[in-house]
Amino acid sequence: WESGVNSKHKGDTPMADKRKVYTPEFKLAAVKMITDQKLSVAEVARRLGVTENRLHDWKKALATKGVDAFPGSGHLTPQEEE
């Protein structure tokens, strides 16, 4: 019996090489789908192709840090610049 899950195929690259980077705008839009549009985390995850855990992390970050939650790739938050 072969499920194909976790199977290695020739030519596969490690997942570390395929790390996806999401823009702050994408993260904010994803969280708004949950909070403003009242969609479930599972539904938003399916629609956007991200994991539910990642959405929970983004939602939590936005709730605790507000607009500073997603400073962007390589940019310092205002607190870090001081």
Side-chain angles (χ1 to χ4, degrees):
W1 180 74
E2 201 174 307
S3 69
V5 177
N6 292 331
S7 63
K8 285 283 186 187
H9 299 285
K10 287 182 180 178
D12 278 358
T13 57
M15 288 302 292
D17 292 343
K18 292 187 174 186
R19 184 168 176 245
K20 202 133 184 202
V21 178
Y22 299 98
T23 65
E25 294 81 10
F26 180 88
K27 295 174 187 179
L28 185 58
V31 172
K32 284 187 174 194
M33 289 174 76
I34 299 164
T35 58
D36 296 354
Q37 298 177 29
K38 307 294 186 214
L39 295 172
S40 70
V41 172
E43 177 62 24
V44 175
R46 275 192 298 274
R47 288 185 184 191
L48 300 179
V50 300
T51 65
E52 291 182 41
N53 284 344
R54 180 158 292 170
L55 289 172
H56 283 294
D57 289 344
W58 294 345
K59 187 177 173 191
K60 184 178 175 183
L62 189 62
T64 58
K65 296 182 182 175
V67 294
D68 294 328
F70 314 123
S73 179
H75 297 111
L76 297 176
T77 64
Q79 292 78 19
E80 291 170 330
E81 287 177 349
E82 293 176 356

